[in-house]
Amino acid sequence: MRPENQSSVSHFLLRGLPIRPEQQGVFFALFLGMYLTTVLGNLLLILLIRLDARLHTPMYFFLSHLACSDVSVSSVTVPKMLMDMLTQDQSIPYVGCIFQLYFFIVFGAFDNFLLAVMAYDRYVAVCHPLHYPTIMREELCVTLVAASWVVSFVRALLHTLLFIRLSFCADSTINHFFCDLTVLLKLSCSDSSLNELVLFTEGGILFILPLGSVLGSYICIGTIILRVPTTKRLLKAFSTCGSHLLVVSLYYGSLASVYFFSSSWDSKDIIASVMYTAVTPMLNPFIYSLRNSDIKQALHVFVNRLTSSSDNNKGSMRPENQSSVSHFLLRGLPIRPEQQGVFFALFLGMYLTTVLGNLLLILLIRLDARLHTPMYFFLSHLACSDVSVSSVTVPKMLMDMLTQDQSIPYVGCIFQLYFFIVFGAFDNFLLAVMAYDRYVAVCHPLHYPTIMREELCVTLVAGSWVVSFVHALLHTLLFIRLSFCADSTINHFFCDLTVLLKLSCSDSSLNELVIFTEGGIFFILPLGSVLGSYTCIGTIIMRVPTTKRLLKAFSTCGSHLFVVSIYYGTLASVYFFSSSWDSKDIIASVMYTVVTPMLNPFIYSLRNRDIKQALVVFVNSNFFK
């Protein structure tokens, strides 16, 4: 093909759903209602599982992740489709298409793996009921879900990186309502045989293995039941497995009709795609709740909590069972008494390293004119936040080890809670800002000085601080309205909000609702910004993947990417992949409160020539005059 027939496309055109113009309004209202039902239904399901202790079981743990994935896969495709119907502008930027493709593969693959995990859970529940608690223990459940997420992200990254190396012809019309990989490959002017080979082999394997696991699990269940096929056993098995079996049938049925029983994309395939991107995620909460007594009871309790007045809540608990606590007792780190001295010396050394390392980094950035750039401006604020978040928790922990007095005043706990949320939230926002800075530096180097001007940098940092303070104030004000029982022992080494809420005698459903909604948004938006920035960076680099460009990108982004991985990795292990606080969660908390702040100055300076030169100049000018 001649070069003039090819172009580096900046936009694709989505053809959308096969509906007539006069029907756009009706279908817009229909899909908007379906999308809102999907989001509200699945978020309500997650909230009920989070709040009700009776639902803290493996089945509902998996179901909460399925609900999260359903909201996500629908949010990747439906909002763009609705916007196209509303504005009649069916174009999508190339980068936007990459984003949509990547996240659609992530959540689609995760659904696939999780349905297999849930089938195995049902198999153990039916075929090995006596051993169910020992087999489906918390560690195994967390490992299965975490592995499903990791494999899904890796799989999506593989297909996305293979896709961005392709070029496209002048005709960039996608015969679909979203950027689907199989449709996009047909538009490519370059050789897509490698993509199709990987899609057929790796994609086929990662589709067949979970499906085989589902079929195998249900064959074993059927075999066990039919050995003594009583009506009671059949009804029991149906109540245990019916919901999951219906969801599996909908998911694999619509998926197979699109990708396996179609040779070309037409209206029937697009309608079938609507099934697994819009209809199935909407139906799942209803399927899992209509015949589920546990979910119904949890919903009933939740509604009663919301409708009951605060007077009724107070009256339902006798005054003698409550106390206005003046102190909490911090249980501390899970270490033996004879090891206290060793750990005291270790954490004291780490804390001093954290303070000195970050303060030295701030001082170098302040003194050296070469470091007066946006990247180092953000880095100085990150160093300040790292010193602060470590100073909020570590000195009290060291004092407890030294004096063996592990009590903390109520007011002191409030202060520690407030400032920990402030600096933790600020780290979250600032890492997103720094990712955007790296994106501009790599993807728009010529416009970097005009985009990342001083006013914008100051605004981004100031905005992060303001939102962090407001975020912390909201949670602190909601917390201080709670009352506490006689047992005021905190199973942690500092006043963590999620642990404190479990100690409350009063109704904390509002606190948990705000944490889940507002806190979830403030976690997902910065994380999405980080992932988006690095997806764009990867897209730009992989268009012409020379060794020089890869090394340049790594030197520009490597330090920040490493810090982001440590920060979000430890945060996720504590707050997302754990149902109860134990030693592993406390150790993971040490990572992001003690270890990460200590490591950040070294991560940003060991391979950074500017920092090294500034340090040499500082040492020579102050100590070797």
Side-chain angles (χ1 to χ4, degrees):
M1 183 175 288
R2 295 192 305 271
E4 57 267 21
N5 291 333
Q6 288 183 292
S7 62
S8 178
V9 294
S10 59
H11 287 75
F12 289 104
L13 186 67
L14 294 168
R15 188 162 288 175
L17 296 176
I19 52 179
R20 294 192 295 273
E22 62 272 15
Q23 297 175 327
Q24 293 278 0
V26 176
F27 277 94
F28 175 83
L30 173 64
F31 283 107
L32 178 61
M34 290 171 65
Y35 178 63
L36 292 176
T37 304
T38 300
V39 174
L40 294 175
N42 282 285
L43 289 182
L44 178 60
L45 189 61
I46 296 170
L47 185 62
L48 292 176
I49 293 169
R50 177 78 174 175
L51 294 180
D52 200 303
R54 291 170 300 179
L55 304 182
H56 293 175
T57 64
M59 181 180 77
Y60 294 110
F61 174 69
F62 298 138
L63 182 56
S64 65
H65 281 270
L66 181 67
C68 175
S69 180
D70 282 341
V71 170
S72 303
V73 76
S74 192
S75 298
V76 167
T77 56
V78 178
K80 173 59 181 169
M81 179 178 69
L82 292 173
M83 189 62 69
D84 291 348
M85 289 182 182
L86 195 63
T87 62
Q88 300 300 312
D89 178 17
Q90 295 179 301
S91 66
I92 181 172
Y94 177 82
V95 174
C97 194
I98 295 292
F99 269 98
Q100 194 177 60
L101 170 67
Y102 176 77
F103 286 108
F104 181 75
I105 296 174
V106 167
F107 299 120
F110 180 75
D111 271 0
N112 192 26
F113 298 134
L114 194 63
L115 288 174
V117 170
M118 293 174 77
Y120 174 70
D121 173 74
R122 295 300 81 203
Y123 157 74
V124 177
V126 173
C127 301
H128 304 283
L130 298 179
H131 298 96
Y132 183 81
T134 55
I135 295 174
M136 298 306 296
R137 59 194 185 279
E138 184 180 355
E139 294 81 1
L140 177 63
C141 297
V142 171
T143 302
L144 289 172
V145 169
S148 299
W149 279 117
V150 170
V151 174
S152 300
F153 277 110
V154 172
R155 178 172 184 253
L157 185 63
L158 170 65
H159 287 290
T160 307
L161 291 176
L162 286 173
F163 171 76
I164 59 179
R165 69 186 182 87
L166 302 177
S167 57
F168 293 87
C169 302
D171 181 17
S172 56
T173 302
I174 301 172
N175 189 26
H176 213 306
F177 64 91
F178 69 96
C179 293
D180 184 87
L181 181 59
T182 53
V183 183
L184 285 166
L185 291 181
K186 295 176 182 178
L187 296 179
S188 174
C189 295
S190 51
D191 183 14
S192 61
S193 57
L194 178 59
N195 302 66
E196 291 165 350
L197 177 64
V198 172
L199 192 62
F200 180 75
T201 54
E202 175 267 354
I205 291 169
L206 293 181
F207 177 84
I208 291 168
L209 287 179
L211 178 58
S213 176
V214 171
L215 294 175
S217 297
Y218 280 109
I219 289 170
C220 292
I221 290 171
T223 304
I224 293 293
I225 294 168
L226 292 174
R227 286 179 183 175
V228 187
T230 62
T231 305
K232 185 178 179 180
R233 292 191 75 185
L234 289 171
L235 291 175
K236 179 68 174 175
F238 181 73
S239 66
T240 305
C241 307
S243 300
H244 179 257
L245 199 55
L246 180 58
V247 170
V248 165
S249 302
L250 283 172
Y251 177 81
Y252 284 108
S254 57
L255 213 62
S257 67
V258 172
Y259 293 106
F260 293 94
F261 301 123
S262 176
S263 58
S264 61
W265 282 83
D266 55 18
S267 300
K268 298 191 297 297
D269 300 314
I270 295 174
I271 293 168
S273 298
V274 171
M275 278 295 296
Y276 71 85
T277 57
V279 179
T280 304
M282 179 190 70
L283 292 178
N284 284 356
F286 298 100
I287 293 171
Y288 279 105
S289 61
L290 288 178
R291 298 187 67 258
N292 191 308
S293 58
D294 293 333
I295 295 289
K296 288 180 181 178
Q297 288 175 4
L299 181 60
H300 181 69
V301 170
F302 178 70
V303 172
N304 287 341
R305 283 182 179 180
L306 293 179
T307 56
S308 62
S309 65
S310 59
D311 291 338
N312 289 336
N313 286 335
K314 290 177 183 178
S316 65
M317 186 176 292
R318 295 196 305 271
E320 57 268 24
N321 291 336
Q322 287 183 290
S323 63
S324 179
V325 294
S326 59
H327 287 75
F328 289 104
L329 186 66
L330 294 167
R331 188 162 288 175
L333 296 176
I335 54 179
R336 293 193 294 272
E338 62 271 17
Q339 298 175 328
Q340 293 278 359
V342 176
F343 277 93
F344 175 82
L346 174 64
F347 283 110
L348 178 61
M350 292 171 69
Y351 177 63
L352 293 176
T353 304
T354 300
V355 173
L356 295 175
N358 283 284
L359 290 181
L360 177 61
L361 191 60
I362 295 170
L363 184 63
L364 293 176
I365 293 170
R366 178 77 175 175
L367 295 179
D368 199 305
R370 292 171 299 178
L371 303 182
H372 293 174
T373 64
M375 182 179 78
Y376 295 110
F377 174 70
F378 298 138
L379 182 55
S380 65
H381 281 270
L382 181 66
C384 174
S385 180
D386 282 340
V387 170
S388 303
V389 77
S390 194
S391 297
V392 167
T393 56
V394 179
K396 173 59 182 169
M397 180 178 68
L398 292 173
M399 188 64 69
D400 291 347
M401 288 182 180
L402 194 63
T403 64
Q404 300 301 310
D405 177 17
Q406 295 179 304
S407 66
I408 181 172
Y410 177 82
V411 175
C413 193
I414 295 294
F415 271 94
Q416 192 179 61
L417 171 68
Y418 175 76
F419 286 107
F420 179 76
I421 296 174
V422 167
F423 298 121
F426 180 74
D427 270 1
N428 191 26
F429 296 132
L430 194 63
L431 288 174
V433 170
M434 293 174 76
Y436 175 70
D437 173 72
R438 296 300 82 204
Y439 157 73
V440 177
V442 174
C443 300
H444 304 284
L446 299 179
H447 298 98
Y448 183 81
T450 55
I451 296 175
M452 298 305 296
R453 59 193 184 279
E454 184 178 357
E455 295 83 0
L456 177 63
C457 296
V458 171
T459 302
L460 289 172
V461 170
S464 298
W465 278 118
V466 170
V467 174
S468 300
F469 279 112
V470 172
H471 173 69
L473 184 62
L474 171 64
H475 287 289
T476 306
L477 291 175
L478 287 174
F479 172 75
I480 59 179
R481 71 185 182 87
L482 302 177
S483 55
F484 293 88
C485 301
D487 181 17
S488 57
T489 303
I490 300 172
N491 189 26
H492 214 307
F493 64 91
F494 69 95
C495 293
D496 185 85
L497 181 59
T498 53
V499 183
L500 284 166
L501 291 181
K502 295 177 181 178
L503 297 179
S504 174
C505 294
S506 51
D507 183 14
S508 61
S509 57
L510 179 60
N511 301 66
E512 290 165 346
L513 179 63
V514 172
I515 289 173
F516 180 75
T517 53
E518 181 261 2
I521 290 168
F522 282 153
F523 177 84
I524 291 169
L525 287 180
L527 178 59
S529 176
V530 171
L531 294 174
S533 298
Y534 280 108
T535 302
C536 292
I537 290 170
T539 302
I540 293 294
I541 294 167
M542 295 307 293
R543 285 182 180 176
V544 188
T546 62
T547 305
K548 185 178 179 180
R549 292 191 75 186
L550 290 171
L551 291 174
K552 178 67 175 175
F554 181 74
S555 66
T556 304
C557 308
S559 300
H560 179 257
L561 197 54
F562 187 52
V563 170
V564 164
S565 303
I566 294 176
Y567 178 82
Y568 284 109
T570 53
L571 214 61
S573 68
V574 172
Y575 293 104
F576 292 92
F577 296 122
S578 177
S579 58
S580 62
W581 283 83
D582 55 16
S583 300
K584 299 189 298 297
D585 300 314
I586 294 173
I587 292 168
S589 298
V590 170
M591 280 295 295
Y592 71 85
T593 58
V594 184
V595 179
T596 304
M598 180 189 70
L599 292 179
N600 283 357
F602 299 100
I603 294 170
Y604 280 105
S605 61
L606 288 178
R607 297 186 68 259
N608 191 307
R609 189 182 306 162
D610 295 332
I611 296 287
K612 287 179 181 178
Q613 289 177 355
L615 181 60
V616 169
V617 170
F618 175 74
V619 171
N620 289 337
S621 60
N622 288 277
F623 300 101
F624 299 103
K625 290 182 179 178

